[in-house]
Amino acid sequence: MTAPTLRYAVATALMASLALAGCKKDKPVDTAATPPPMSTPAPSQPATPPPMSSAVSITSVTLGKAAGADKRIESATTDFASTDPIVVSVATNGSSGSTTIHTRLMYQDGQVAGEESQSIATDGMETTNFTFNNANGWPAGNYTAEVSVDNAAPRTTTFTVK
């Protein structure tokens, strides 16, 4: 390299170094304008208890023809007439922001005679009712009510239509 070329290279490198150094330069901190952080006392409330299990389980399945205002079956039965409504009352226990209860009535030949789902939010014991009606009357025979929570294995109860 010649002397003028070397000078230009050194000058260019020096200017690039100065430019980069200027980019990384921190602003001075004005301590007079920024007050020191205030300490806040710890809250006097007790620690939050750990969340309850989100599992919801079926505690009982009761069949009947009508439910009262408290959602309980007025008279439990497994024998129905063809014109009776079939009320499936599902008692659950547990805690969940969203749980789906699914109920299906199966006729003796495996045909689905009725199917309903309800989504619930619960924090403890809950009763959910499903009412099935058949405008043409239920065919006589043996049936199974299958009830499941969040696609878990169903709990089954058998009943008869005469």
Side-chain angles (χ1 to χ4, degrees):
M1 267 190 190
T2 63
T5 307
L6 184 59
R7 282 188 205 145
Y8 284 119
V10 170
T12 303
L14 182 61
M15 290 185 70
S17 296
L18 289 173
L20 287 174
C23 289
K24 292 186 179 188
K25 192 173 183 180
D26 292 331
K27 292 183 181 179
V29 176
D30 183 5
T31 58
T34 307
M38 295 180 62
S39 63
T40 56
S44 61
Q45 298 175 346
T48 305
M52 292 178 64
S53 169
S54 64
V56 174
S57 60
I58 298 169
T59 57
S60 68
V61 176
T62 308
L63 302 179
K65 299 173 187 176
D70 63 354
K71 297 184 181 180
R72 293 184 185 198
I73 297 293
E74 293 174 353
S75 180
T77 187
T78 57
D79 293 320
F80 295 87
S82 66
T83 56
D84 287 339
I86 299 169
V87 180
V88 180
S89 183
V90 183
T92 56
N93 192 16
S95 180
S96 174
S98 179
T99 294
T100 301
I101 301 173
H102 185 81
T103 302
R104 178 185 334 199
L105 302 183
M106 301 289 291
Y107 187 58
Q108 61 195 14
D109 65 359
Q111 181 180 347
V112 176
E115 193 166 19
E116 286 187 31
S117 292
Q118 289 185 39
S119 190
I120 64 167
T122 183
D123 189 20
M125 298 186 76
E126 184 79 31
T127 300
T128 307
N129 290 333
F130 298 86
T131 303
F132 295 91
N133 291 293
N134 188 334
N136 299 322
W138 300 104
N142 296 316
Y143 291 78
T144 302
E146 295 179 348
V147 180
S148 63
V149 174
D150 289 335
N151 296 320
R155 186 165 177 172
T156 61
T157 303
T158 58
F159 63 99
T160 305
V161 173
K162 296 179 179 179

